[in-house]
């Protein structure tokens, strides 16, 4: 995965355990970051650089993963810190998971994450897809992404009771 902005615990002056350098040397504990501050862009998202800029404008840090398997790995490690997952569909299945499968996993395992799917440019945009969970929102354009990202940043989904 490619960090577009620093992800807590990964890269950006952190040691292998994800601690800042002073923590690795026995210094003070790192500052706790609020949950839901990241947007995970998975697969071939149309206009990726524009999407990254829009989620940053909404106050989220972007992390781009090349495929659904890599996205699932990040969610397993940092799912509580992710506010929005944007999946590029259709996703050619290069690993064990396709884009729709990742969408179903996110809806089931991380119900507090806002889920957005993007269809390829010039491709068919369906508002309902039988392979996607009902709460997955189809992206209709850049303005739509900005609105969805701002909503995800400011109004996280409530945890399931």
């Amino acid at each position: 995965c490619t960090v577009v902005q620093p992800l807590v615990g990964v890269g950006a002056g952190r040691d292998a355990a994800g601690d800042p350098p002073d923590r690795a040397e026995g210094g003070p504990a790192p500052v706790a970051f609020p949950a839901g501050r990241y947007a995970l862009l998975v697969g071939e998202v149309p206009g990726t650089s524009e999407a990254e800029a829009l989620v940053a404008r909404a106050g989220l840090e972007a992390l781009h993963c090349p495929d659904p398997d890599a996205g699932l790995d990040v969610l397993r490690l940092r799912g509580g810190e992710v506010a929005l997952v944007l999946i590029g569909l259709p996703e050619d299945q290069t690993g064990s998971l396709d884009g729709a499968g990742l969408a179903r996993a996110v809806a089931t395992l991380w119900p507090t994450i806002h889920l957005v799917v993007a269809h390829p440019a010039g491709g068919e945009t369906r508002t309902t897809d039988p392979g996607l969970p009902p709460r997955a929102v189809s992206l209709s354009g850049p303005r739509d992404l900005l609105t969805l990202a701002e909503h995800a940043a400011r109004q996280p989904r409530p945890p399931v009771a």
Side-chain angles (χ1 to χ4, degrees):
C1 294
T2 303
V3 177
V4 177
Q5 300 283 334
L7 178 65
V8 173
V10 178
R14 295 180 182 269
D15 68 7
D19 293 324
D22 62 337
R23 178 68 176 154
E25 298 164 7
V31 175
F33 289 87
R37 302 311 311 163
Y38 304 97
L40 186 61
L41 284 62
V42 181
E44 294 298 320
V45 175
T48 300
S49 58
E50 183 179 10
E52 292 167 352
L54 289 171
V55 298
R57 187 170 155 193
L60 299 173
E61 294 184 38
L63 176 66
H64 186 259
C65 293
D67 58 54
D69 288 314
L72 187 59
D73 289 342
V74 169
L75 287 166
R76 284 181 179 138
L77 294 172
R78 301 285 184 186
E81 299 170 38
V82 176
L84 180 135
V85 173
L86 173 58
I87 303 170
L89 295 177
E91 177 64 45
D92 294 332
Q93 188 168 349
T94 57
S96 61
L97 191 63
D98 66 2
L102 178 61
R104 290 188 300 273
V106 169
T108 302
L109 300 172
W110 296 277
T112 60
I113 295 176
H114 292 260
L115 181 58
V116 180
V117 295
H119 298 274
E124 179 184 343
T125 303
R126 293 181 278 181
T127 54
T128 59
D129 185 330
L132 295 173
R135 70 178 187 86
V137 176
S138 276
L139 185 62
S140 61
R143 284 188 176 250
D144 192 27
L145 177 58
L146 180 59
T147 301
L148 293 167
E150 286 174 340
H151 182 73
R154 290 175 180 78
Q155 299 177 355
R157 291 184 184 276
V160 176

